[in-house]
Amino acid sequence: ITVLGGYEGIPAVKILHLRRNKIEKLEDEVPPLESLVKINLRSNCIKNFEILEKLLKNEKLVDLNILNNPLETNTSSFNVLMSEVLAKNTRIQRFCKVDTKE
């Protein structure tokens, strides 16, 4: 999988486990996943924050994992990246396996 999309027919999905793919981007028109609470994008090819911004618009999303993506490994610090994510979605409770309340 190189592009995240094509899930229009499954709006009730709660968990997306897409670890170890080659996802670089989202489709241009990403429909909201109204029930999505967790997405694991570990070990993909995500390079820019704009991709995450689209996902962070999902109101029920509380768990996001982007470990081992170029975005995570090229950021100056993990805490800076987590701060950017939390600024876009204050409901995130777990980011890259770290409890955001700690």
Side-chain angles (χ1 to χ4, degrees), residues 38-91:
K38 177 180 180 175
I39 187 165
N40 183 350
L41 293 167
R42 185 177 185 158
S43 300
N44 276 279
C45 301
I46 298 169
K47 298 174 187 165
N48 62 49
F49 193 77
E50 290 76 32
I51 294 168
L52 294 185
E53 285 183 302
K54 290 179 182 179
L55 291 171
L56 292 169
K57 291 180 182 177
N58 289 294
E59 293 184 14
K60 293 186 179 178
L61 185 67
V62 295
D63 191 338
L64 173 65
N65 187 345
I66 59 157
L67 287 170
N68 301 326
N69 276 276
L71 175 63
E72 185 258 340
T73 56
N74 293 335
T75 302
S76 61
S77 87
F78 178 78
N79 289 336
V80 168
L81 182 57
M82 187 181 339
S83 296
E84 289 179 33
V85 166
L86 292 173
K88 296 291 181 183
N89 183 334
T90 58
R91 295 173 301 279

